[in-house]
């Protein structure tokens, strides 16, 4: 039987550093009989890209079961004769219970025993570090604790609960607080890696932000609506890669976290016999000093980035808007820098406008490649079969709309309301037919193809009428070929 170690994080517990280390040493580890598929080699240079398990995560989200099986049986076990493999991706912690069960079922079917590896850390520090990550990558603009989700430990706890429900005692949980000084040895001890001959990772990966950096970047995030969070934070960190990034402690927030996480912390400690035990926080009764409003010196790095950054065409308009907003912020600190920013914004705006003019396609009347057909719907919109809570009509009708969507022109269906009828011969010919409720335009090879689709419409099962008509071009004359389907049978 093969052995798979599935490292799911959890988030902000050294996963990026571990993935960089594993990528750096993938070849040496394979010689020990342990495969780590280096399918995201950029991480060995310090890029934070979610490890080699990102492919498995995508396949699970897409419910691509063949791809999941291929990854678990071939991609991750790639060396002939090796019977141990490691998969790492913190995004896997968010998988739903059915998707976790799918991984287990596929592994069981292929004689692969799975061990889940997860790290946990003191809750308050965990939550603060997660918040800072969102400032860096997801453009958070609020202060820590200003939103309830900042202090919500449930997502981490629920991840462990889901994996425990599926894998039980095969879930190995470790305390990051005690392991972080040598996270590599800790992980190696679980997975059986011999570290003696491996290369050290001589860099700090995915470092957090200082108090001042958080304050500056969350304000800057508000100026670009998330367009440049990653680029700006990476630039700021690159200027001082080894700066300390302590946790910001607020006594009131600490107390809230203690109360809210008590039950979850107890469950984790009891269920996984954690040593040392997980704690709610490492607060020493010394709250952090409030950070002052950023000044000129604090914005200097952002100004340096703004001068040097060259956006691709897709980001140029966002960058123009950012330059203008940033100029307003720094005008009272560095008025000499404002004019160059505005000039750069105007120059780039002119280029964007000119490109839009040049790329605007000429207005050309579209000539259908296939004949077009008008499908008209006639039914009682107040029908009990449609509005009954026990009826499956709505679901069946949406399935039918999905069926015709690939060949529909414009909207799949165009509902009608506020109908006005003019008296005359045409009205009398309609007889007792229900009012017209909508229409679709479909492109198809011939009318018989459209009729075959129309016959599947559930409106026919509740007394509705579908009329299929060939839409002709004026130069072809005015004859219309028409077929009606009524009451569940094609006419």
């Amino acid at each position: 039987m093969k052995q798979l170690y599935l490292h799911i994080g959890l988030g902000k517990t050294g996963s990026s550093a571990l993935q960089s280390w594993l990528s750096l040493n993938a070849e040496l580890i394979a010689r020990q009989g342990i495969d780590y598929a280096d399918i995201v080699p950029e991480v060995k240079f310090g890029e934070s890209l979610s490890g080699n398990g990102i492919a498995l995560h995508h396949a699970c989200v897409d419910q691509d079961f063949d791809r999941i099986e291929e990854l678990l049986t071939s991609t991750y076990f790639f060396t002939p004769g090796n019977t141990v493999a490691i998969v790492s991706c913190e995004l896997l912690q968010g998988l739903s219970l059915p998707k976790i069960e799918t991984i287990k079922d596929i592994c069981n079917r292929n004689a692969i025993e799975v061990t889940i590896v997860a790290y946990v850390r003191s809750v308050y520090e965990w939550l603060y570090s997660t918040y800072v990550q969102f400032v860096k990558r997801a453009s958070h603009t609020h202060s820590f604790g200003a939103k309830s989700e900042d202090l919500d430990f449930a997502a981490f706890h629920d991840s462990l609960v889901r994996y425990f429900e599926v894998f039980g005692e095969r879930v190995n949980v470790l305390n990051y607080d005690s392991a972080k000084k040598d996270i590599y040895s800790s992980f190696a001890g679980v997975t059986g890696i011999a570290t003696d001959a491996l290369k050290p990772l001589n860099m700090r990966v995915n470092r957090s932000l200082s108090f001042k950096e958080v304050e500056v970047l969350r304000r800057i995030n508000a100026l670009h609506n998330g367009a440049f969070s990653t680029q700006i934070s990476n630039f700021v960190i690159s200027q001082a890669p080894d700066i300390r990034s302590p946790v910001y402690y607020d006594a009131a927030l600490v107390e809230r976290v203690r109360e809210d996480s008590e039950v979850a912390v107890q469950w984790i400690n009891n269920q996984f016999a954690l040593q040392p035990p997980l704690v709610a926080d490492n607060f020493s009764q010394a709250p952090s000093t409030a950070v002052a409003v950023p000044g000129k010196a604090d914005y200097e790095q952002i100004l340096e980035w703004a001068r040097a950054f060259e956006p691709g065409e897709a980001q140029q308009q966002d960058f123009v808007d950012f330059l203008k907003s940033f100029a307003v912020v720094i005008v009272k600190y560095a008025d000499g820098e404002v004019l160059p920013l505005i000039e750069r914004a105007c120059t780039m705006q002119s280029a964007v406008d000119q490109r839009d003019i040049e790329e605007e396609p000429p207005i050309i009347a579209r000539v259908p490649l296939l004949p077009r057909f008008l499908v008209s719907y006639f039914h009682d919109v107040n029908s009990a079969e449609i509005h009954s809570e026990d009826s499956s009509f709505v679901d069946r009708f949406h399935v039918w709309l999905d069926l015709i969507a690939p060949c529909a022109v414009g909207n799949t269906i165009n509902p009608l309301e506020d109908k006005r009828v003019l008296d005359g011969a045409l009205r009398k010919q309609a007889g007792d037919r229900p009012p017209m409720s909508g229409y679709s335009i479909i492109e198809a090879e011939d009318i018989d193809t459209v009729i075959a689709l129309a016959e599947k419409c559930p409106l026919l099962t509740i007394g509705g009428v579908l009329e299929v008509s060939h839409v002709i071009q004026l130069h072809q004359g005015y004859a219309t070929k028409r077929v009606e389907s009524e009451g569940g049978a094609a006419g």
Side-chain angles (χ1 to χ4, degrees):
M1 176 172 283
K2 293 183 177 180
Q3 172 67 54
L4 176 71
Y5 290 98
L6 191 62
H7 172 230
I8 63 170
L10 302 170
K12 305 310 299 175
T13 57
S15 297
S16 296
L18 275 175
Q19 290 153 7
S20 296
W21 178 72
L22 289 167
S23 175
L24 180 67
N25 290 287
E27 184 177 344
L28 296 174
I29 294 172
R31 295 176 189 172
Q32 300 181 22
I34 303 172
D35 283 342
Y36 180 81
D38 193 21
I39 59 179
V40 191
E42 299 91 336
V43 301
K44 64 169 57 69
F45 305 110
E47 294 285 341
S48 179
L49 297 171
S50 297
N52 70 348
I54 189 67
L56 178 61
H57 175 264
H58 289 330
C60 288
V61 170
D62 295 339
Q63 299 188 66
D64 187 344
F65 303 113
D66 290 339
R67 175 63 172 156
I68 296 172
E69 187 151 8
E70 175 193 356
L71 287 165
L72 292 172
T73 59
S74 301
T75 302
Y76 294 130
F77 289 94
F78 62 89
T79 304
N82 282 2
T83 59
V84 180
I86 296 171
V87 176
S88 176
C89 178
E90 60 271 29
L91 294 177
L92 294 170
Q93 68 184 286
L95 291 183
S96 64
L97 192 62
K99 291 180 173 65
I100 298 172
E101 291 171 338
T102 295
I103 292 175
K104 183 179 181 181
D105 291 343
I106 291 175
C107 286
N108 285 346
R109 190 166 65 246
N110 290 279
I112 301 173
E113 185 176 61
V114 180
T115 296
I116 306 299
V117 181
Y119 284 86
V120 295
R121 64 184 293 189
S122 53
V123 179
Y124 183 90
E125 289 76 10
W126 200 345
L127 294 172
Y128 178 75
S129 186
T130 301
Y131 160 79
V132 172
Q133 185 72 8
F134 281 127
V135 172
K136 289 166 56 179
R137 300 291 184 255
S139 202
H140 271 14
T141 61
H142 63 276
S143 300
F144 179 58
K147 294 188 176 181
S148 58
E149 56 262 34
D150 295 344
L151 307 180
D152 186 7
F153 183 58
F156 298 103
H157 170 254
D158 292 348
S159 295
L160 291 177
V161 171
R162 289 194 300 274
Y163 274 93
F164 183 76
E165 285 185 25
V166 177
F167 288 100
E169 62 182 16
R170 302 299 303 176
V171 179
N172 193 335
V173 177
L174 300 98
N175 193 328
Y176 173 74
D177 291 327
S178 62
K180 62 183 176 182
K181 290 183 179 179
D182 192 357
I183 190 72
Y184 313 115
S185 294
S186 169
F187 188 78
V190 174
T191 55
I193 297 173
T195 61
D196 298 346
L198 300 187
K199 303 172 186 176
L201 185 68
N202 297 318
M203 67 176 71
R204 191 174 178 185
V205 180
N206 196 25
R207 83 153 171 87
S208 192
L209 302 173
S210 69
F211 299 159
K212 181 61 72 174
E213 288 171 339
V214 169
E215 191 65 19
V216 171
L217 289 179
R218 73 175 185 85
R219 291 167 182 263
I220 291 297
N221 284 342
L223 304 182
H224 56 67
N225 297 318
F228 305 109
S229 296
T230 297
Q231 292 99 321
I232 295 177
S233 63
N234 284 348
F235 179 83
V236 169
I237 290 172
S238 70
Q239 303 305 295
D242 297 319
I243 195 173
R244 289 186 66 251
S245 48
V247 174
Y248 187 86
Y249 287 106
D250 178 283
L253 296 181
V254 169
E255 188 59 35
R256 281 178 57 187
V257 169
R258 287 177 180 173
E259 294 176 0
D260 294 346
S261 65
E262 182 178 3
V263 174
V265 169
Q266 185 176 7
W267 180 84
I268 292 171
N269 283 327
N270 292 342
Q271 197 63 65
F272 302 106
L274 217 57
Q275 291 298 329
L278 179 66
V279 296
D281 60 87
N282 292 315
F283 183 46
S284 63
Q285 308 304 318
S288 303
T289 303
V291 180
V293 175
K296 178 180 179 180
D298 302 311
Y299 285 118
E300 185 58 42
Q301 287 183 336
I302 312 301
L303 184 59
E304 185 178 348
W305 176 85
R307 294 192 199 102
F309 183 65
E310 293 293 342
E313 287 188 358
Q315 285 191 306
Q316 284 182 350
Q317 186 61 63
D318 288 330
F319 189 59
V320 167
D321 296 339
F322 168 73
L323 289 177
K324 293 177 180 178
S325 299
F326 184 49
V328 173
V329 170
I330 66 168
V331 66
K332 60 183 178 181
Y333 304 122
D335 56 344
E337 299 290 348
V338 171
L339 185 57
L341 290 182
I342 296 299
E343 288 177 342
R344 188 174 188 210
C346 291
T347 300
M348 192 171 293
Q349 184 69 68
S350 297
V352 170
D353 293 343
Q354 181 61 36
R355 187 174 66 248
D356 290 344
I357 293 173
E358 293 173 352
E359 293 180 355
E360 185 173 343
I363 300 175
I364 301 175
R366 181 177 182 271
V367 178
L369 299 178
L370 293 172
R372 287 185 174 180
F373 300 89
L374 177 70
V375 180
S376 305
Y377 307 92
F378 301 85
H379 75 286
D380 181 5
V381 295
N382 297 313
S383 170
E385 289 93 336
I386 296 177
H387 298 285
S388 171
E389 293 183 357
D390 299 327
S391 173
S392 63
F393 173 85
V394 174
D395 290 336
R396 291 186 290 119
F397 190 69
H398 280 105
V399 169
W400 187 76
L401 291 178
D402 289 339
L403 176 66
I404 69 170
C407 50
V409 178
N411 295 331
T412 307
I413 186 171
N414 301 275
L416 302 176
E417 63 177 9
D418 193 23
K419 294 177 285 292
R420 310 297 174 89
V421 179
L422 302 180
D423 287 330
L426 291 178
R427 184 183 183 189
K428 293 175 181 177
Q429 289 176 12
D432 295 327
R433 174 187 292 177
M436 185 174 176
S437 56
Y439 67 92
S440 301
I441 298 176
I442 291 177
E443 288 184 348
E445 292 286 347
D446 51 49
I447 196 169
D448 293 331
T449 300
V450 184
I451 293 171
L453 291 171
E455 288 175 339
K456 295 179 172 62
C457 182
L459 283 174
L460 299 175
T461 67
I462 62 170
V465 176
L466 267 67
E467 182 179 277
V468 179
S469 304
H470 183 193
V471 180
I472 61 173
Q473 301 299 314
L474 289 179
H475 66 271
Q476 294 176 328
Y478 297 93
T480 301
K481 186 176 181 181
R482 178 176 296 169
V483 178
E484 292 185 8
S485 299
E486 297 190 30

